[in-house]
Amino acid sequence: MIYFNSKTIKEDIIVFQINDTRMLVDARLSFPKNKKYSMAIEILIFLLVASISTMPQSILSYFAIMILMVTDPNFIKLVTSGEFDQSATIEYLTEFISNTPSFVYAIMLFASGFMILAAILYCKLFQKRRAYTLGFTKKQALSEYVLGALIGLVMISLPALACVATGCVSLKTSESANPLMIMVFFVAFLFQGIGEEALFRGYFMTSLARGTST
């Protein structure tokens, strides 16, 4: 929870000061008192951690696409034709990307879970921070997450419904839509959302803030 304090300066000018959240206070307690803070070092370390955490996603998607390609008769025909045809290659790649199976994108989203693991491991092993400082709590965790998901759903749905009501957007159901795959993507996007929040907001932004003075 964030608390606001205010004080009056010179008569009519009010300055609002935002006090530290409990998460940030807890994170500051883990910062060594004699250590010199460097924002540049924090940013460089974050870039390294972020790069490592996204490697599994890149590797998994790369191998999935390569397997699909080498088993595609059109790709084999293109490679064994004996000559390089730029227009044919571009046409094939365009068609391949547009027809890439949905499970490949689902794998990429699920691989975002490695960002959660990287953020937690780095903060616990190197910064000596508790998982609480990244936003993970044991008390009422499920109920708070469900509430946040519902609030987000409402915030996204209201503009979409407004667009439909005004005729700016029309909704159509595809006959090829797979309800099971839709649920898979729903769960996969949850992994992506948690991963981004843990890596950027929980780890990076809190790391920058904990080394600064209050």
Side-chain angles (χ1 to χ4, degrees):
M1 183 178 294
I2 300 176
Y3 302 93
F4 293 88
N5 289 336
S6 63
K7 55 183 178 179
T8 304
I9 299 178
K10 289 184 178 179
E11 296 181 357
D12 56 350
I13 302 177
I14 299 179
V15 177
F16 289 92
Q17 178 182 357
I18 304 178
N19 290 347
D20 294 339
T21 62
R22 288 178 294 176
M23 287 173 52
L24 182 54
V25 171
D26 193 301
R28 280 204 169 106
L29 292 176
S30 65
F31 191 81
K33 294 182 179 179
N34 298 326
K35 181 180 178 181
K36 187 176 180 181
Y37 176 76
S38 173
M39 181 176 292
I41 296 297
E42 289 286 0
I43 294 175
L44 290 176
I45 293 176
F46 164 74
L47 292 176
L48 178 60
V49 174
S51 299
I52 294 174
S53 67
T54 55
M55 280 183 183
Q57 185 180 44
S58 302
I59 293 173
L60 288 173
S61 59
Y62 172 79
F63 277 106
I65 291 174
M66 286 297 100
I67 291 173
L68 290 174
M69 273 193 172
V70 298
T71 56
D72 184 6
N74 292 328
F75 177 76
I76 297 175
K77 182 180 179 181
L78 181 66
V79 173
T80 58
S81 62
E83 58 182 21
F84 176 72
D85 189 337
Q86 183 176 0
S87 60
T89 302
I90 295 176
E91 182 180 354
Y92 169 77
L93 291 175
T94 303
E95 184 178 356
F96 177 83
I97 293 173
S98 61
N99 295 322
T100 300
S102 299
F103 76 86
V104 175
Y105 298 105
I107 291 174
M108 295 172 64
L109 291 173
F110 275 113
S112 301
F114 285 100
M115 292 192 294
I116 306 174
L117 183 62
I120 293 176
L121 287 178
Y122 177 77
C123 289
K124 287 184 70 69
L125 296 177
F126 295 96
Q127 293 189 339
K128 308 302 179 183
R129 287 167 50 189
R130 297 191 303 165
Y132 171 74
T133 63
L134 282 85
F136 296 100
T137 60
K138 294 181 180 179
K139 186 178 180 181
Q140 298 179 337
L142 181 60
S143 60
E144 289 187 3
Y145 186 83
V146 172
L147 177 61
L150 291 175
I151 294 175
L153 179 63
V154 171
M155 293 176 65
I156 295 174
S157 300
L158 288 178
L161 292 175
C163 291
V164 173
T166 55
C168 298
V169 175
S170 60
L171 300 178
K172 295 182 180 179
T173 303
S174 175
E175 296 180 357
S176 60
N178 187 339
L180 178 60
M181 187 55 66
I182 293 175
M183 291 302 300
V184 169
F185 268 96
F186 177 79
V187 177
F189 274 114
L190 293 181
F191 272 83
Q192 184 198 35
I194 298 174
E196 292 178 353
E197 288 293 317
L199 187 65
F200 289 92
R201 189 185 302 274
Y203 156 45
F204 181 53
M205 294 179 66
T206 304
S207 294
L208 292 180
R210 76 174 189 144
T212 58
S213 58
T214 55

